[in-house]
Amino acid sequence: MARAFNQMAADLQEAESSRRELTADIAHELRTPLTVLQANLSAMIDGVYDMGQEEVSALYDQVLRLNRLVADLGQLAAFEAGHLAIEVAPTDLGAALERSLALFRPAAEAKGVALTIGRPPDLPAVLADGSRVGQVLANLLSNALRHTPAGGTITVSAAAVGEMVEVSVSDTGEGITESDLPRVSMVAPPEIDV
């Protein structure tokens, strides 16, 4: 009984530590666009920046980013409560990869980063939620673009591996530190082939 109690206490402590870490990550993700908005709006009010189309467009992009972060928090809460809707259907993964790359191509070109894709022409359809696949790809590409220096390359590849399809996103950035590797994982419900 003492062992069970100690294990329960350790599990609770680990859950609390994960919650604090998640809260810190969320605060960091929200702080960045808010800081950009505050600084730019303040400069506009003080007459340092023009309120031209380009400046307003950049601020609008930050508002969209904040909106996505808030939506992500709502989805996370729904997932933890077991209410996240997943609509599984045959999905053309090749087309999903091409759409995701098309969305990031302008930002990659502006930064001087090459985007490449490697996939066979006969890549089979997968049973997945197409919108969630797009969301995962967008997160991976966004992170890769953030951490790949000018002149670098981001490669998205997909290949059939047995009855599954394996997708990878690799880049020529600094990589993930050894200490962060245990925190990086992708978990899918066992009844869904992603």
Coordinates of all heavy atoms in Angstrom, one line a residue, residues 13 27 35 41 53 67 72 75 81 84 87 95 97 114 126 153 157 160-161 174 188 192:
Q13 N 3.0 14.6 -8.7 CA 4.1 15.5 -8.8 C 4.5 15.7 -10.2 O 4.7 16.9 -10.7 CB 5.3 15.1 -7.9 CG 6.4 16.2 -7.9 CD 7.5 15.8 -6.9 OE1 7.5 14.7 -6.3 NE2 8.5 16.6 -6.8
A27 N 2.4 30.7 -22.0 CA 2.7 32.2 -21.7 C 3.7 32.7 -22.7 O 3.6 33.8 -23.3 CB 3.2 32.3 -20.3
T35 N 3.8 41.1 -27.6 CA 4.9 42.1 -27.5 C 5.0 42.8 -28.9 O 5.2 44.0 -28.9 CB 6.2 41.4 -27.1 OG1 6.0 40.7 -25.9 CG2 7.3 42.3 -27.1
L41 N 2.1 49.0 -32.2 CA 1.0 50.0 -32.0 C 1.5 51.2 -31.3 O 1.1 52.3 -31.6 CB -0.2 49.3 -31.3 CG -1.0 48.3 -32.1 CD1 -1.9 47.5 -31.2 CD2 -1.7 49.0 -33.3
Q53 N -0.3 50.2 -45.3 CA -0.9 48.9 -45.6 C 0.1 47.8 -45.1 O -0.4 46.8 -44.4 CB -1.1 48.7 -47.1 CG -1.6 47.3 -47.5 CD -3.1 47.1 -47.1 OE1 -3.8 48.1 -46.9 NE2 -3.5 45.9 -47.0
N67 N -5.1 34.3 -32.5 CA -6.3 33.6 -32.7 C -6.1 32.1 -32.8 O -6.8 31.3 -32.2 CB -7.1 34.2 -33.9 CG -8.5 33.9 -33.8 OD1 -9.1 33.6 -32.8 ND2 -9.2 34.2 -34.9
D72 N -6.0 26.7 -30.5 CA -5.2 25.5 -30.1 C -5.5 25.2 -28.6 O -5.6 24.0 -28.2 CB -3.8 25.8 -30.3 CG -3.4 25.7 -31.8 OD1 -4.2 25.4 -32.6 OD2 -2.2 26.1 -32.1
Q75 N -8.8 23.5 -28.3 CA -8.7 22.1 -28.8 C -7.9 21.2 -27.8 O -8.3 20.1 -27.6 CB -7.9 22.1 -30.1 CG -8.8 22.6 -31.3 CD -8.0 22.6 -32.6 OE1 -6.8 22.3 -32.6 NE2 -8.7 23.0 -33.6
A81 N -10.4 16.6 -22.2 CA -11.7 16.3 -21.7 C -12.3 15.1 -22.5 O -13.4 14.7 -22.1 CB -12.6 17.5 -21.7
L84 N -12.6 16.1 -28.2 CA -12.1 16.5 -29.4 C -12.6 15.7 -30.6 O -12.4 14.5 -30.6 CB -10.5 16.5 -29.4 CG -9.8 17.0 -30.6 CD1 -10.1 18.5 -30.8 CD2 -8.3 16.8 -30.6
E87 N -12.5 13.3 -37.3 CA -13.3 12.8 -38.4 C -12.3 12.0 -39.3 O -11.6 12.6 -40.2 CB -13.9 13.9 -39.2 CG -14.9 14.7 -38.3 CD -15.5 15.9 -38.9 OE1 -15.4 16.0 -40.2 OE2 -16.1 16.7 -38.2
A95 N -1.4 15.0 -51.3 CA -2.1 16.3 -51.6 C -2.0 17.2 -50.3 O -1.7 18.4 -50.4 CB -3.5 16.1 -52.0
L97 N 0.4 17.1 -48.1 CA 1.8 17.6 -48.0 C 2.0 18.8 -49.0 O 2.6 19.8 -48.6 CB 2.8 16.5 -48.3 CG 2.8 15.3 -47.3 CD1 3.7 14.2 -47.9 CD2 3.3 15.7 -46.0
A114 N 15.1 26.8 -48.7 CA 14.5 25.9 -49.7 C 13.6 24.9 -49.1 O 13.9 24.3 -48.0 CB 15.6 25.2 -50.5
V126 N -4.4 7.3 -46.6 CA -4.4 6.9 -45.2 C -5.7 7.2 -44.5 O -6.4 8.1 -44.9 CB -3.2 7.6 -44.4 CG1 -1.9 7.2 -45.0 CG2 -3.4 9.1 -44.4
T153 N 17.7 24.2 -45.8 CA 16.7 23.4 -46.5 C 15.8 22.7 -45.5 O 16.3 22.2 -44.5 CB 17.4 22.3 -47.4 OG1 18.3 23.0 -48.3 CG2 16.4 21.5 -48.2
S157 N 9.2 14.4 -46.4 CA 9.1 13.2 -47.1 C 8.1 12.3 -46.6 O 7.7 12.4 -45.4 CB 10.5 12.5 -47.1 OG 10.9 12.2 -45.8
A160 N 5.6 4.7 -47.9 CA 4.8 3.6 -47.3 C 5.8 2.7 -46.6 O 6.9 2.3 -47.1 CB 4.1 2.8 -48.5
V161 N 5.4 2.3 -45.4 CA 6.2 1.4 -44.5 C 5.3 0.4 -44.1 O 4.5 0.6 -43.1 CB 6.9 2.2 -43.4 CG1 7.7 1.2 -42.5 CG2 7.7 3.3 -43.8
E174 N 19.6 24.0 -36.2 CA 20.4 23.5 -35.1 C 20.0 22.2 -34.5 O 20.7 21.6 -33.7 CB 20.5 24.6 -34.0 CG 19.3 24.8 -33.2 CD 18.3 25.8 -33.7 OE1 18.5 26.3 -34.9 OE2 17.3 26.1 -33.0
A188 N -0.8 9.1 -31.2 CA -2.1 9.0 -31.9 C -3.0 7.9 -31.2 O -2.4 6.9 -30.7 CB -1.9 8.7 -33.3
I192 N -6.7 4.7 -34.6 CA -6.5 5.5 -35.8 C -5.2 5.4 -36.4 O -4.2 5.5 -35.8 CB -6.8 7.0 -35.5 CG1 -8.2 7.2 -35.0 CG2 -6.6 7.9 -36.7 CD1 -8.5 8.6 -34.4

